[in-house]
Amino acid sequence: MPELVRLYIRNVFAGLGLSVAFVGLLLWFNVANLWHLISSSDIGYIAVALLVVFNTVVFSGVQFAICIMRMGHDDGASGGGKRDAIPAVDASAQMVPVRVEAPVQRRKMPR
């Protein structure tokens, strides 16, 4: 199995753990009266399953993105490029007035 696939599967399991913890805290603290809605419904387990699944998708995606972003490698180079200051305005630039004719259009007033 490729290393990237193993990395993704590990992050999906991490996202699943975070999702279960998050949904557990949502129900424990009864956010938006969620515990009452789920416990008083005969199909509340579907709502809990959907919360876990969709939050797993979100959290595993975030975990994978963080892991990929941290994989950058350091070449040991100084990270070159010239460090010369870029002038914001040319000192020799002069403003030149330009005349533009704008014809006046008159509209008829409605009666």
Side-chain angles (χ1 to χ4, degrees):
M1 185 181 314
E3 180 65 31
L4 191 61
V5 174
R6 279 185 281 172
L7 175 69
Y8 185 71
I9 291 172
R10 280 195 307 259
N11 284 304
V12 167
F13 284 128
L16 176 66
L18 287 171
S19 175
V20 168
F22 180 71
V23 172
L25 288 172
L26 280 177
L27 295 176
W28 179 264
F29 288 115
N30 201 16
V31 175
N33 209 15
L34 194 59
W35 172 253
H36 173 73
L37 289 172
I38 288 174
S39 63
S40 65
S41 174
D42 56 343
I43 56 170
Y45 63 91
I46 294 176
V48 173
L50 288 175
L51 276 171
V52 169
V53 167
F54 292 133
N55 280 311
T56 298
V57 170
V58 171
F59 290 141
S60 63
V62 170
Q63 283 292 114
F64 188 63
I66 290 171
C67 189
I68 292 295
M69 295 296 176
R70 295 183 70 193
M71 289 177 77
H73 61 289
D74 187 22
D75 293 335
S78 65
K82 293 177 78 175
R83 301 286 191 250
D84 294 340
I86 299 173
V89 177
D90 188 10
S92 65
Q94 298 276 333
M95 295 184 78
V96 178
V98 177
R99 293 193 178 268
V100 177
E101 260 188 63
V104 176
Q105 296 178 356
R106 297 182 185 241
R107 288 191 257 166
K108 291 185 179 180
M109 297 296 290
R111 292 182 185 211

